Amino acid sequence: MPYRAPAAEFRFILDQVVPLAPVSASERFAEATSETVDAILTEAARMCDEVMAPLNRASDLHPARLENGVLRSTPGFKEGFAAIREGGWVALAAAEEFGGMGLPQAVNMAVNDMMSGACLSLQLNPLLTQGQIEALEHHASDEIKALYLPKLISGEWSGTMNLTEPQAGTDVGALRTKAEPNGDGSYAITGQKIYISWGDSDLTENVCHLVLARLPDGAAGTRGISLFIVPKYLPDADGKPGQANSLSVVSLEHKMGLHGSPTCVMAYEGAQGWMVGGEHKGMAAMFTMMNNARLAVGVQGIGIAEAAFQKALDYAQEREQAGAIIQHADVRRMLATMKAEIFAARSIALACAVALDLGRASGDAEQSARAALLTPIAKAYGTDVGCNVAETGVQVHGGMGFIEETGAAQFYRDVRVTTIYEGTNGIQAMDLVARKMADNGEAAARLLQEVEDFAHSARAMLPQLAEDTWLAAESLREATEWLVHQEMQDRFAGAVPYLRAFARVLGAHYHLRAAVAEGGTGPRTDLARVYIRRLLPQYAACLAEAKEGAAGLYALTPEVLHG
């Protein structure tokens, strides 16, 4: 069977598990009524199923290509993007002032999840534009907002982010791209950027690049970096694409997957750009886009996991080996694990989005802190689940999973990069144990208290599942109290297992909420039992590793590792 967007799953989570109701009750998001959200989910699911999903296989078999400097998209992408643009799917969370719908990020992320499962290569284009929209809304001048936001929000123009250079990856401060004042308020941008997703496009009439560069008086490192918007075509007096800017696509990267999404090497040769966010304040402005993208990339992982799971489930029901293979215990174990992981990751991502919406709607600092805490967890766990579920999907297919014609391997190849871009998952974990614990773990403690309180209230209905969840949350609380008193290098050495333990506990919490919502008996309770009894115990091993410190790792010098 083809991909089926899980709209009903989002309705359940946003109603029963991570309620959207408090967001809809706010003045800012009063338009996000249950009827409106239901209509959006229904229509988005239809578009994903009927328009985007049929393009996914073509995105792998017929990659984007560069012909004499001109980008050619995967066949069918123009029509697919037209449906995205005409449906307003770029504009869901954008400001109404410039033509957006002003809806909550929770709704936007639900739609992005479904679009990612349908065709990730195509979904990347509007996703990047959404991130640029948010950065401009927060940091651009009124003139730039008035010119660029309506075009980006309508989908007439698309947006990118340009950070990485050959010598400057995670260490963004090592960039060499220069910005020279032109004397008229604009700047001449010169340098090379790599790994620029959708750095060129034949789907939109203009491509707008947010480019990090250094002014002549910019200090070394990240403190001296500024941000500039650099369009492919310079807007004329009427705001329409005019003269070509001095920038070009040097080449397309040859990638493991995501072949339909062109990843460009970009050259800027005195290209005209305009500053966004003030002199030497580029990282603050870019982080607005990156934080949006980090949650969105976690959602991409979940969307691919959903698609890989659906394909594996269909195959397991059809494949005969001493009966349909779904009857075998180990196949059933794999499928149940895939389903349980997807629900947990999806709930964490939506909880992050809801906290973000509540913080924006009310100015509640605790909700904003919760969103900040959950962002690295949602990104890392969501993409880890994407990779693990896609890999398990190949295993369910057996030998046929290793044969490209089945399409099972495409999900793994496409999703693999999500654990790397927008900050590797190791960087996310380091962010969690450092910046997100700068409050001595107070935001984490508040969240874990809610987990424990709910588990306590669920003991009468589901005593074993509630007790297991409570004990795990209490252990994580104690580990967090220990963590905030450690040296930073010791925190970093255990950051990844600590994040995984946190995700395991939150996953148990949301599964328990789902089980309680259906009265403690039924399919969601059965799924919660799979997660809490089979997967949750991994938190203990993760916390043991997290507490081990850095000394043992640094004892293994390069000479020792070489043997």
Side-chain angles (χ1 to χ4, degrees):
M1 292 177 65
Y3 171 79
R4 304 167 299 281
E9 189 77 344
F10 290 106
R11 294 187 187 98
F12 174 78
I13 294 174
L14 292 174
D15 184 39
Q16 300 291 340
V17 180
V18 185
L20 187 65
V23 176
S24 303
S26 69
E27 182 178 352
R28 176 167 181 170
F29 296 117
E31 298 297 321
T33 64
S34 58
E35 293 80 10
T36 297
V37 173
D38 184 73
I40 288 170
L41 293 175
T42 298
E43 185 59 23
R46 185 201 62 77
M47 189 270 296
C48 289
D49 293 352
E50 298 178 6
V51 179
M52 292 185 69
L55 298 172
N56 191 53
R57 196 72 186 115
S59 74
D60 193 50
L61 299 176
H62 305 285
R65 63 193 190 279
L66 198 63
E67 295 181 349
N68 299 318
V70 178
L71 184 92
R72 308 294 187 192
S73 293
T74 295
F77 268 26
K78 287 185 180 180
E79 294 78 7
F81 185 79
I84 294 170
R85 183 182 66 246
E86 292 163 8
W89 302 115
V90 182
L92 281 180
E96 294 176 273
E97 176 185 358
F98 298 101
M101 298 185 190
L103 290 168
Q105 278 292 351
V107 178
N108 188 38
M109 289 301 155
V111 173
N112 280 339
D113 183 322
M114 292 190 286
M115 290 173 64
S116 298
C119 184
L120 183 57
S121 284
L122 180 54
Q123 186 267 348
L124 258 170
N125 185 299
L127 174 72
L128 289 162
T129 301
Q130 289 177 350
Q132 186 172 111
I133 289 167
E134 184 160 3
L136 295 181
E137 284 178 347
H138 284 84
H139 300 285
S141 66
D142 289 342
E143 292 78 11
I144 288 176
K145 288 179 183 178
L147 175 58
Y148 286 88
L149 284 177
K151 298 291 190 179
L152 292 166
I153 289 169
S154 69
E156 294 171 78
W157 297 359
S158 59
T160 75
M161 54 195 300
N162 286 231
L163 291 79
T164 308
E165 299 180 10
Q167 78 293 338
T170 299
D171 183 12
V172 178
L175 68 79
R176 296 173 185 158
T177 300
K178 299 177 182 179
E180 300 276 352
N182 286 325
D184 61 357
S186 68
Y187 295 80
I189 311 299
T190 302
Q192 186 181 88
K193 298 289 183 177
I194 63 172
Y195 304 153
I196 310 307
S197 298
W198 282 100
D200 199 8
S201 173
D202 56 357
L203 309 182
T204 58
E205 63 182 23
N206 205 357
V207 182
C208 307
H209 304 283
L210 278 181
V211 183
L212 288 178
R214 199 182 308 277
L215 293 170
D217 62 345
T222 56
R223 288 180 297 176
I225 294 174
S226 301
L227 183 65
F228 303 85
I229 188 158
V230 186
K232 177 180 178 180
Y233 296 108
L234 298 169
D236 62 19
D238 298 321
K240 297 179 180 179
Q243 179 183 348
N245 210 344
S246 300
L247 58 87
S248 61
V249 179
V250 176
S251 63
L252 301 185
E253 305 285 6
H254 300 284
K255 300 176 297 184
M256 175 179 174
L258 280 182
H259 296 148
S261 170
T263 302
C264 303
V265 176
M266 301 294 301
Y268 296 88
E269 300 172 351
Q272 192 172 13
W274 289 264
M275 187 178 292
V276 174
E279 292 186 3
H280 318 311
K281 296 180 180 179
M283 289 306 295
M286 185 60 86
F287 264 117
T288 299
M289 186 173 187
M290 289 182 66
N291 282 331
N292 174 291
R294 283 172 174 170
L295 173 57
V297 169
V299 166
Q300 288 181 329
I302 300 162
I304 287 284
E306 177 71 39
F309 166 71
Q310 289 186 19
K311 189 170 187 65
L313 177 60
D314 290 345
Y315 183 82
Q317 293 174 298
E318 297 166 359
R319 175 63 170 165
E320 293 281 339
Q321 292 283 280
I325 64 171
I326 197 171
Q327 300 303 324
H328 299 302
D330 188 58
V331 173
R332 193 65 66 92
R333 175 193 62 81
M334 288 189 283
L335 293 169
T337 298
M338 295 163 83
K339 181 77 169 177
E341 291 276 48
I342 292 167
F343 180 86
R346 184 170 279 146
S347 296
I348 291 171
L350 290 175
C352 181
V354 165
L356 188 64
D357 290 328
L358 288 172
R360 289 176 174 176
S362 65
D364 187 332
E366 288 191 2
Q367 289 295 336
S368 296
R370 174 163 298 182
L373 176 76
L374 287 174
T375 295
I377 301 173
K379 192 277 181 181
Y381 181 51
T383 56
D384 279 345
V385 165
C387 288
N388 294 338
V389 168
E391 190 275 335
T392 302
V394 173
Q395 191 72 15
V396 171
H397 280 76
M400 291 303 295
F402 201 64
I403 304 301
E404 284 289 352
E405 283 77 5
T406 65
Q410 180 187 344
F411 295 121
Y412 183 76
R413 289 187 289 99
D414 283 357
V415 78
R416 186 61 185 83
V417 73
T418 62
T419 66
I420 298 171
Y421 62 28
E422 305 310 331
T424 67
N425 286 0
I427 295 293
Q428 304 304 316
M430 292 166 69
D431 177 50
L432 176 63
V433 302
R435 255 181 276 184
K436 302 306 162 56
M437 295 294 165
D439 62 352
N440 289 317
E442 291 182 10
R446 287 192 294 269
L447 179 55
L448 291 174
Q449 186 62 55
E450 290 182 21
V451 174
E452 291 187 24
D453 289 346
F454 186 83
H456 181 75
S457 71
R459 279 178 167 142
M461 181 183 293
L462 295 163
Q464 186 64 66
L465 300 185
E467 180 66 14
D468 289 350
T469 302
W470 188 93
L471 286 172
E474 182 62 18
S475 296
L476 181 59
R477 179 202 294 273
E478 293 170 357
T480 304
E481 292 170 353
W482 171 89
L483 177 80
V484 297
H485 293 100
Q486 305 311 303
E487 296 293 332
M488 200 58 70
Q489 198 72 341
D490 290 324
R491 293 194 202 184
F492 288 162
V496 166
Y498 175 80
L499 184 149
R500 288 174 177 167
F502 216 130
R504 277 281 170 254
V505 171
L506 291 176
H509 170 62
Y510 295 123
H511 270 289
L512 185 62
R513 290 186 68 94
V516 168
E518 73 169 0
T521 180
R524 295 192 180 276
T525 303
D526 293 336
L527 192 65
R529 189 168 289 110
V530 167
Y531 187 94
I532 294 172
R533 298 296 292 165
R534 293 174 180 270
L535 303 181
L536 176 61
Q538 295 170 6
Y539 84 88
C542 288
L543 291 181
E545 183 183 359
K547 292 181 177 181
E548 190 59 24
L553 299 178
Y554 283 90
L556 294 170
T557 63
E559 293 77 16
V560 172
L561 291 171
H562 278 297

